[in-house]
Amino acid sequence: MSSETSDTLDQAMARSSGLDTLLRDLTDRAVQEVPGAVACSITVRRAGRLLTLAGSEGMPSGLDLRQYENGSGPCVDAAETGEEQYAPDLAAESRWPPYTEYALSTGVRCVLAVPVAVEGGSGAAINFYGVGAQDLGTGREAARAFAARAGDAIDMALRIENRRQSAADVRTALLSRSVIDQAVGILMARERIDARIALERLRRVSQDRNVKLRDLCGQLVAKVSAPDSRRRQ
């Protein structure tokens, strides 16, 4: 792959605020760089299932989704097995009958799915589509090189998103701990009991009412924090 393409991908990484934006940039670039490709999509496993996170302009709607629904197809097989899948002419393809029929109906005749290695071993693939038989034959090396370069970018974006999610989880936990501590303090002052007994009472009420402890404590804090005029009503 040329240094110009590498620079473009690096710039896309710098511009992107998240994985989705980055992948949209990459799919558009892939169509420009891979001979014979008229559309491109990127498949990544998230929360135990395969999803198309981005597709280039001109990507036929539902083309990847049909594969996920059937549990088979070039991008599914590439992501699941880590092996490249190439169908030079879908009209003569026998591996994925339901998908093949649908793809041909959208005007797609040639498919190349290249696996992408990402952190944690999650399945991923970059998928290239052509409208004529053998259209992607001369572009396979370019597609592999692009997928290898894109893999670095996807991996980095996944790590960034995972860190953001972890940070959000920590913030949620801290907020929950704060409101629980406030509710415990309210009971301690109101009932003249120690913190252990106050927390036990809150947990018991939470279980009896089938309400999350955090939500129960939030309700108590909100009630006590309301203006005097509202509390008297």
Side-chain angles (χ1 to χ4, degrees), residues 30-31 63 68 89-90 107 109 111 117 124 140 165 200 206 213 222:
V31 173
L63 194 57
Y68 307 148
D89 185 358
L90 288 176
R109 185 80 179 268
V111 181
R140 294 181 70 179
Q165 184 59 53
E200 286 178 355
S206 170
L213 179 61

Side-chain angles (χ1 to χ4, degrees), residues 111-175:
V111 181
L112 172 64
V114 183
V116 177
V118 294
E119 188 176 76
S122 301
I126 183 165
N127 317 302
F128 303 89
Y129 301 92
V131 294
Q134 306 288 343
D135 272 5
L136 294 167
T138 60
R140 294 181 70 179
E141 286 300 325
R144 291 167 186 154
F146 193 94
R149 182 70 182 97
D152 294 337
I154 295 170
D155 208 27
M156 177 178 289
L158 284 169
R159 289 197 300 269
I160 291 171
E161 291 228 333
N162 287 337
R163 285 199 295 270
R164 287 177 177 171
Q165 184 59 53
S166 296
D169 290 343
V170 169
R171 286 195 295 273
T172 299
L174 289 174
L175 289 173

Side-chain angles (χ1 to χ4, degrees), residues 1 26-43 56 59-60 63-64 67 74-75 84-87 90 99 108-116 125-131 135-137 139-148 150:
M1 178 170 291
L26 294 185
T27 54
D28 288 337
R29 174 57 58 178
V31 173
Q32 299 175 29
E33 294 295 328
V34 176
V38 296
C40 173
S41 67
I42 294 181
T43 296
S56 65
M59 177 71 187
L63 194 57
D64 290 347
Q67 297 183 63
C75 74
E84 182 178 304
Q85 304 294 320
Y86 178 49
L90 288 176
Y99 167 73
V108 169
R109 185 80 179 268
C110 183
V111 181
L112 172 64
V114 183
V116 177
I126 183 165
N127 317 302
F128 303 89
Y129 301 92
V131 294
D135 272 5
L136 294 167
R140 294 181 70 179
E141 286 300 325
R144 291 167 186 154
F146 193 94

